[in-house]
Amino acid sequence: MGAKSTPSAAILLGMSSGVSVDEFQALEQKVLRAVEIVKREREARAAAEAEVATLREQLAAQSAELQRQVEAAKGRVEAVESEKETAEHQIEALNHERDVVRQRVERLLQQMDELL
């Protein structure tokens, strides 16, 4: 099968006569493939961890921005509620003033009717 002997194969074959060069080379190829797979998986894991870190940073930034927007909205709501209360008090005061003016006009009309 065109087996070529590597230094590690020669050492191992010298120690164990029950393994052929082809079997050893097949095993060596499997180990090298396994090493490459582990290397790729580690690189993929490192890339995934870096992406997770980036996404966490983005999430934290977005969360902070949303919190700022919520606080700003709360401030606007408080301002609108304050304006609403002020307007309600003004309406109450104007309604009271209108009732007072109406009573005065009615008294004046009664006095005019009495004069006529």
Side-chain angles (χ1 to χ4, degrees):
M1 261 201 162
K4 67 179 184 179
S5 184
T6 63
S8 58
I11 293 171
L12 188 59
L13 287 176
M15 295 188 313
S16 169
S17 63
V19 177
S20 72
V21 173
D22 288 339
E23 291 173 333
F24 181 78
Q25 285 178 339
L27 179 61
E28 186 177 29
Q29 290 301 316
K30 287 180 182 180
V31 169
L32 290 174
R33 282 193 301 266
V35 167
E36 285 299 316
I37 290 171
V38 168
K39 184 193 270 187
R40 283 193 308 268
E41 291 302 318
R42 285 182 178 167
E43 289 171 355
R45 181 182 177 131
E49 288 174 350
E51 185 177 359
V52 165
T54 299
L55 292 173
R56 283 186 176 154
E57 289 174 9
Q58 290 174 352
L59 180 61
Q62 288 175 349
S63 178
E65 175 62 19
L66 288 174
Q67 186 64 34
R68 186 194 63 75
Q69 290 176 359
V70 165
E71 293 302 320
K74 284 180 182 178
R76 289 191 300 272
V77 166
E78 289 175 3
V80 168
E81 286 177 349
S82 175
E83 289 176 15
K84 177 185 165 238
E85 288 178 18
T86 300
E88 286 174 345
H89 290 301
Q90 289 175 345
I91 289 171
E92 285 180 31
L94 290 171
N95 283 339
H96 178 71
E97 186 178 334
R98 181 191 66 199
D99 290 341
V100 169
V101 169
R102 180 182 291 142
Q103 290 172 359
R104 289 177 63 194
V105 168
E106 286 175 359
R107 273 187 276 147
L108 287 173
L109 288 174
Q110 283 177 353
Q111 287 177 357
M112 286 176 60
D113 283 344
E114 290 174 6
L115 290 174
L116 295 174

